[in-house]
Amino acid sequence: MFTYSLDEYTELRPLSMEHTKPLFELTDRSRDQLRHWLPWVDHVTEVEHTSNFISNALKQGAENGGFTAGVWLKGDLAGIIGFHEINWTNRSVSIGYWLGKGFEGQGLMTSACRVLVDHALVTLDLNRVEIRSATNNKRSRAIPERLGFVLEGVIRQAEKLPKGYVNHAVYGMLQHEWELLR
């Protein structure tokens, strides 16, 4: 995993165990907005839960199966982005992300996603990157749309959230498409 500066104030840094408390605090402060779209939020009630998440992310990274990074703005943890498990056989990966309360609407996640897509399709030589989002999550869906991803379809009742099942919009980007957009 790498550290990457998005601009003079923003960078992506790999998560480490020392980020446990800041990540838990960001999750806790952002709980009300995150629970609308992320089913795990209400299960993260103790710092130990965040420690377990980071430990699992580090293990996945060590096994070359993906990675998780913090999005840092002016030294503060603003959100999380990462590759879900990389499918090396099919040369594909999906990206997951979220921003904490007060960090939305600044282009942070679009910039972070652009870096991860480039890393996946150019550096790692993968063929496909996928992003899924609840169909009603307009902010999350705007990111792959801004980056030129293709809306490939909708998966019905793909995820159970506190308010019930939600459909997922599935966006895809292929390596040869990304080369044309770069």
Side-chain angles (χ1 to χ4, degrees):
M1 179 52 195
F2 54 89
T3 297
Y4 188 90
S5 293
L6 300 175
D7 60 37
E8 63 181 303
Y9 302 111
T10 315
E11 67 181 2
L12 303 179
R13 279 190 240 152
L15 284 183
S16 68
M17 295 310 293
E18 71 186 49
H19 302 133
T20 299
K21 187 175 179 193
L23 180 55
F24 177 77
E25 290 171 350
L26 179 64
T27 304
D28 200 44
R29 281 194 314 272
S30 307
R31 189 174 302 283
D32 288 341
Q33 76 183 41
L34 294 176
R35 79 168 34 100
H36 293 290
W37 308 116
L38 301 172
W40 53 263
V41 171
D42 288 331
H43 302 288
V44 177
T45 57
E46 300 174 16
V47 173
E48 181 182 356
H49 298 143
T50 301
S51 176
N52 291 339
F53 167 76
I54 293 174
S55 178
N56 289 333
L58 292 171
K59 181 179 180 218
Q60 182 185 38
E63 295 170 352
N64 204 24
F67 67 84
T68 304
V71 180
W72 299 83
L73 177 64
K74 298 178 182 175
D76 293 325
L77 182 59
I80 297 294
I81 188 167
F83 290 155
H84 296 147
E85 189 168 339
I86 298 172
N87 182 327
W88 290 104
T89 302
N90 292 310
R91 296 180 40 235
S92 65
V93 71
S94 65
I95 295 176
Y97 50 82
W98 62 269
L99 281 173
K101 184 177 180 178
F103 294 102
E104 313 94 328
Q106 301 177 53
L108 298 175
M109 201 51 76
T110 300
S111 295
C113 275
R114 183 178 289 111
V115 169
L116 261 66
V117 171
D118 204 61
H119 185 69
L121 299 177
V122 177
T123 306
L124 298 179
D125 194 33
L126 299 179
N127 183 59
R128 174 183 167 77
V129 174
E130 182 177 290
I131 295 176
R132 293 184 182 200
S133 176
T135 54
N136 291 336
N137 190 341
K138 295 180 187 335
R139 284 184 169 203
S140 184
R141 290 185 66 179
I143 293 167
E145 291 170 359
R146 277 193 289 274
L147 294 175
F149 277 63
V150 173
L151 176 61
E152 297 177 333
V154 173
I155 299 173
R156 299 176 304 142
Q157 296 188 5
E159 186 172 43
K160 187 174 188 302
L161 297 174
K163 63 184 174 186
Y165 287 96
V166 295
N167 298 337
H168 275 186
V170 179
Y171 292 91
M173 176 65 70
L174 302 178
Q175 187 181 57
H176 73 273
E177 295 168 337
W178 187 250
E179 289 172 2
L180 295 173
L181 294 172
R182 290 181 77 213

